[in-house]
Amino acid sequence: MSTELCGLELEHPIVNASGTFDAIAALRTFGDEVLERFPFAAFVSKTITLKPRQGNPPPRLWETAGGLINSIGLPNKGLAGYLEHDLPVLARLPVPLIVNVMGFTREEVATLVAAVAERDEVAGLELNVSCPNVESGLIMGADPRETAALVHRVRPLTAKPLIVKLTPNATDPAAVAHAAQEAGADGVSLVNTLRGMALHPRTGAPWLGARTGGVSGPAIRAIALAQVAQVAERVSVPVVGMGGVETGAHAHALLRAGAAAVAVGTETFRDPRAGARIAAELADIGRDRRVSARL
Amino acid sequence: MNRTLAPFDRRRGEVEQVDRVGAYLRLLCSDPGGPAPRPGQFYMLALAAEWGGGADERPYLPRAFSYLRHEPGRLEFLLEDVGPGTHRLGAARPGEGIWLLGPLGAGFAAPREGRAPLLVGGGIGIVPLAPLQADMPGPALLGFRDAAHAAAGELMADVTLCTDDGSAGHHGLVTELLAARLDEPVEVYACGPPAMLEAVRLMTTQRGVPAQLALESGMACGFGACFGCVVPTRDGYVRVCVDGPVLEASDLEAVPAH
Ligand SMILES: Cc1cc2nc3c(=O)[nH]c(=O)nc-3n(C[C@H](O)[C@H](O)[C@H](O)COP(=O)(O)OP(=O)(O)OC[C@H]3O[C@@H](n4cnc5c(N)ncnc54)[C@H](O)[C@@H]3O)c2cc1C
Ligand SMILES: Cc1cc2nc3c(=O)[nH]c(=O)nc-3n(C[C@H](O)[C@H](O)[C@H](O)COP(=O)(O)O)c2cc1C
Ligand code: FES
C-alpha cells in the first residue's frame, strides 16, 4: 500500500504524530530493532524551537475518559542542539524524516525553516502553528491571515515539502487550511490536541503543572474525523489526518474522509509498534474491500 | 550494564495466578520470549480485555510496575490497589491475556569500590529491592504502615522491620534505622514513597554516602516517547522511564511530592 505524500514516497500511509515517538529514546530502550522494524512510513520529529526549552513543570499527564491530557510544554534541545546531536542519529532511520518546527515570531520560524531545510537528512518540514505570535498576540494557526502571512514568509526558503499542522482550537480550521494552501503550503495536518483541564482529586487545584493541557486519544476521534472531513473538502493539497487512531478501521475512516495519510500518536504509548499494526490492519481492509467489490 | 534491552513489541502473556501477600496482591504471569531483566527495571502492563470502562472510563494507558521475581518465561509482580489500573490487575483471573512491554529503564548499578549494599524500602517500594537482594546480598531496612503490610517483608531476607503504628518491628520510620547505619561503608539502595526517598536523599547527600533511588512518576509510555514522567535534576528535567527509574541521589534536585 505505498503512498505519495507531498512528493515523498512512503511505504504505507501511517506516520507518527509529532511528539509521540522519540526514536532516539526508543533506540536506548529497544536497541537496533527500532531501525530494523521501524513502525512508521516516515518519522516526524517532536517540535523544535530556536532556543532550548525545559518544558512545563510536572505533573504533565492526566488520564481522562478514553484519552490523555498532556502539558509537556515542548521541551527540546533547540535548533543548534537538534542539528548537532539528534539529526545525525535520526539520519540512520530507514524512512523519510519530517522535522516539526515552531517559532514565537515569523522571523524565528523563518530561521528554523532555513536552517533545517538545508540539511540533506531532512525530507520535509511540518510547521506547528499552535502557539501565539508574541508580536501580535494571536495564535498563529487560529487566524487565516496570520497563517497566510507566516507561510508567505517561509515558503521561498525551501523547495522541500512544507506541511502546516493546524490547531483544532480555531474557529474555522478549514479557512486556516485554505489560507495555508493559497500561501504555498504543500499539505496540512490535523488535529493537534484540544485544550483540556483536570483538577486534583483532593485539593481541587489544577492538576497539570501548566494548569491546562491538550487532550488526545480516543476521546477526540470523532472531533478529528469531522475536522479532517471539513478541511479535506476545502483544500486540494494532501491532508494528514490524526486524532485517536487506534486501529486500521480508524485510519480507514480518516482516509475515507479525505486524508492522504494518517498519523498515530497516543496509541503508540500503549503499543510502541502500533504504526506497523495499524498499517497491516489497513492493508487488510483494503484487500477485503477489493475482494467484495469483485463479488 | 544495568539495562536489558526490551524486545520492540508488546508481548501477550497469560495471567497464571493472583494471590495475597499481606495487604498486597502478587500477580504471576507468563512472559513468552521475554529476556531477563536487571533489578530496578520495570514493565508496562495492561490486561488484554476490559482495560477501560471502569470509574471515569479508566484505565486507558498501561501501568508501570517493577518486577518482583523473574525466571525464564515467567514474571511476578506485587501490586498495591490504589486506583482503577491496579484494581483491575488485582482482579485478573488465571488464563486472562496480559500485555507486557519491557524490561524498561535503567536499573541499579553495583556499589562503589569498598562499599556494601544497604537496602532501604518503604511499602510497595520494596518490590525492586527483592530481585536486587537476590543478585547482590545485603541487609534490608523495611518500613510499612502496619503489620498487615509488613507481611510483605517475608519476600526478602536479612530484614529489619519497622511500622508506622508499631504493630510489627520497630515503632517508627525506616529513615531512623538508616540514620544509625550511615557511618558504615555502605551504598544505599532505596525505593519507597516520595517523602521517604526525599529524606533518604537529604540524609545521604549530607553525609556523603552514595545512594541510588528508584523513583516513581506518572507515566504514559515507559520508553521515552511522551516526556511526561520527568523529575528535576541538577541538569534539568530527566525522564524517569529512560534515564531512570534508578537515579543517583546526588544528581536530584528533589524527589517530587505527588
Ligand atoms: C517505575 C515504576 C515502578 C512501579 N512499581 C510498582 C510496583 O511494583 N507495584 C505497585 O503497586 N505500583 C508500582 N508503581 C506505581 C504504579 O504504576 C501506580 O500505582 C499505578 O500506575 C496506579 O494506577 P491506578 O490506575 O491504579 O491508579 P491512579 O488512579 O492512576 O492513581 C495513582 C495516582 O495517580 C494520580 N492520579 C489519580 N487520578 C489520575 C488520573 N486520572 N491521571 C493521572 N494521575 C492520576 C494520583 O496521584 C493517584 O494517587 C510503579 C511506578 C513506576 C513509575
Ligand atoms: C504527549 C504528547 C506530546 C505531543 N507533542 C507534540 C509536539 O511536540 N508537536 C506537535 O505538533 N504535536 C504534539 N502532540 C500532538 C500530536 O502530534 C497529535 O496531534 C495529537 O496527539 C492527536 O493525535 P492522537 O490522538 O493520535 O494522539 C503531542 C501529543 C501528545 C499526546
Ligand atoms: S513515560 Fe513517557 S517519557 Fe517517560
Side-chain angles (χ1 to χ4, degrees):
Chain A
M1 259 194 99
S2 73
T3 299
E4 198 224 285
L5 177 67
C6 308
L8 305 177
E9 282 298 324
L10 305 185
E11 221 169 275
H12 58 75
I14 307 297
V15 305
N16 69 296
S18 173
T20 61
F21 188 74
D22 179 340
I24 295 173
L27 282 167
R28 288 173 65 195
T29 304
F30 306 111
D32 283 350
E33 241 195 292
V34 172
L35 305 176
E36 291 148 18
R37 301 169 64 225
F38 199 73
F40 305 107
F43 178 66
V44 184
S45 294
K46 183 162 178 67
T47 298
I48 59 165
T49 50
L50 195 53
K51 298 204 191 85
R53 285 168 61 93
Q54 277 281 336
N56 288 327
R60 294 176 169 183
L61 301 170
W62 177 264
E63 187 182 73
T64 187
L68 175 66
I69 315 180
N70 84 80
S71 66
I72 308 297
L74 305 177
N76 74 97
K77 294 175 184 160
L79 175 64
Y82 180 83
L83 294 178
E84 188 186 338
H85 300 292
D86 290 3
L87 200 52
V89 184
L90 298 177
R92 296 171 60 204
L93 298 178
V95 296
L97 172 63
I98 297 172
V99 181
N100 178 304
V101 301
M102 187 189 87
F104 295 95
T105 64
R106 260 171 236 154
E107 287 318 302
E108 257 188 46
V109 182
T111 306
L112 283 155
V113 168
V116 168
E118 77 169 26
R119 297 291 295 252
D120 291 340
E121 301 93 323
V122 176
L125 290 94
E126 185 174 56
L127 300 183
N128 179 351
V129 293
S130 297
C131 75
N133 179 339
V134 292
E135 286 164 345
S136 68
L138 295 171
I139 301 283
M140 291 197 190
D143 177 73
R145 266 165 311 182
E146 276 280 335
T147 307
L150 177 70
V151 176
H152 268 302
R153 174 67 186 89
V154 301
R155 176 71 277 180
L157 302 174
T158 180
K160 289 183 179 172
L162 208 52
I163 299 168
V164 174
K165 177 142 179 201
L166 305 169
T167 167
N169 303 309
T171 324
D172 187 357
V176 177
H178 189 255
Q181 167 181 296
E182 296 307 298
D186 299 297
V188 294
S189 54
L190 75 160
V191 296
N192 209 322
T193 53
L194 284 106
R195 194 169 308 117
M197 187 176 182
L199 301 181
H200 193 295
R202 286 191 307 277
T203 66
W207 171 267
L208 296 167
R211 299 180 64 88
T212 63
V215 186
S216 66
I220 67 168
R221 189 185 304 139
I223 301 164
L225 184 61
Q227 292 207 359
V228 166
Q230 198 193 359
V231 165
E233 253 167 48
R234 246 339 243 292
V235 299
S236 52
V237 294
V239 176
V240 182
M242 70 191 95
V245 172
E246 292 185 300
T247 65
H250 302 152
H252 184 72
L254 287 172
L255 296 174
R256 288 292 293 259
V262 170
V264 174
T266 308
E267 178 64 3
T268 295
F269 300 160
R270 310 200 315 156
D271 172 4
R273 285 186 30 87
R277 172 177 53 78
I278 292 166
E281 290 167 359
L282 190 59
D284 284 345
I285 293 172
R287 210 162 13 248
D288 290 350
R289 301 221 165 208
R290 281 193 299 279
V291 170
S292 53
R294 276 201 300 269
L295 293 177
Chain B
M1 257 303 278
N2 46 1
R3 190 193 292 269
T4 295
L5 295 179
F8 187 36
D9 261 316
R10 56 177 187 175
R11 304 183 285 288
R12 195 182 160 118
E14 203 170 90
V15 175
E16 292 179 352
Q17 192 185 324
V18 180
D19 60 4
R20 290 207 152 268
V21 179
Y24 302 106
L25 290 160
R26 177 169 47 192
L27 185 148
L28 278 78
C29 66
S30 64
D31 176 22
R38 313 292 165 102
Q41 287 194 290
F42 68 99
Y43 292 79
M44 296 299 283
L45 301 183
L47 288 169
E50 292 164 56
W51 190 253
D56 292 333
E57 302 297 321
R58 298 198 304 136
Y60 160 60
L61 296 160
R63 300 295 196 255
F65 296 94
S66 306
Y67 72 100
L68 180 67
R69 238 164 66 84
H70 165 267
E71 58 185 71
R74 281 174 101 224
L75 282 164
E76 280 181 29
F77 299 94
L78 192 71
L79 320 174
E80 179 172 20
D81 181 348
V82 297
T86 47
H87 186 76
R88 176 68 185 93
L89 282 162
R93 293 167 300 274
E96 271 199 65
I98 183 167
W99 291 115
L100 298 133
L101 181 71
L104 300 169
F108 296 106
R112 286 156 184 78
E113 183 87 37
R115 292 188 177 268
L118 175 62
L119 282 44
V120 182
I124 193 68
I126 69 162
V127 178
L129 303 179
L132 176 70
Q133 194 185 43
D135 266 24
M136 200 194 284
L141 314 177
L142 305 181
F144 294 95
R145 237 162 295 173
D146 52 32
H149 290 83
E154 286 167 17
L155 298 167
M156 294 181 67
D158 196 358
V159 171
T160 307
L161 268 188
C162 62
T163 49
D164 296 346
D165 67 356
S167 56
H170 168 76
H171 186 181
L173 300 175
V174 73
T175 42
E176 295 162 16
L177 301 178
L178 174 62
R181 307 285 298 262
L182 288 177
D183 289 330
E184 300 168 24
V186 294
E187 176 143 353
V188 173
Y189 293 82
C191 184
M196 182 204 108
L197 288 183
E198 179 62 3
V200 171
R201 185 188 71 84
L202 287 168
M203 290 166 71
T204 54
T205 46
Q206 271 163 18
R207 302 280 290 274
V209 176
Q212 301 182 32
L213 310 182
L215 300 193
E216 279 190 11
S217 179
M219 291 187 176
C221 69
F223 53 95
C226 73
F227 280 83
C229 62
V230 298
V231 293
T233 70
R234 303 197 190 284
D235 281 337
Y237 291 126
V238 303
R239 285 168 285 180
V240 171
C241 69
V242 279
D243 297 310
V246 177
L247 293 167
E248 290 281 342
S250 57
D251 288 342
L252 289 168
E253 285 278 351
V255 178
H258 46 264

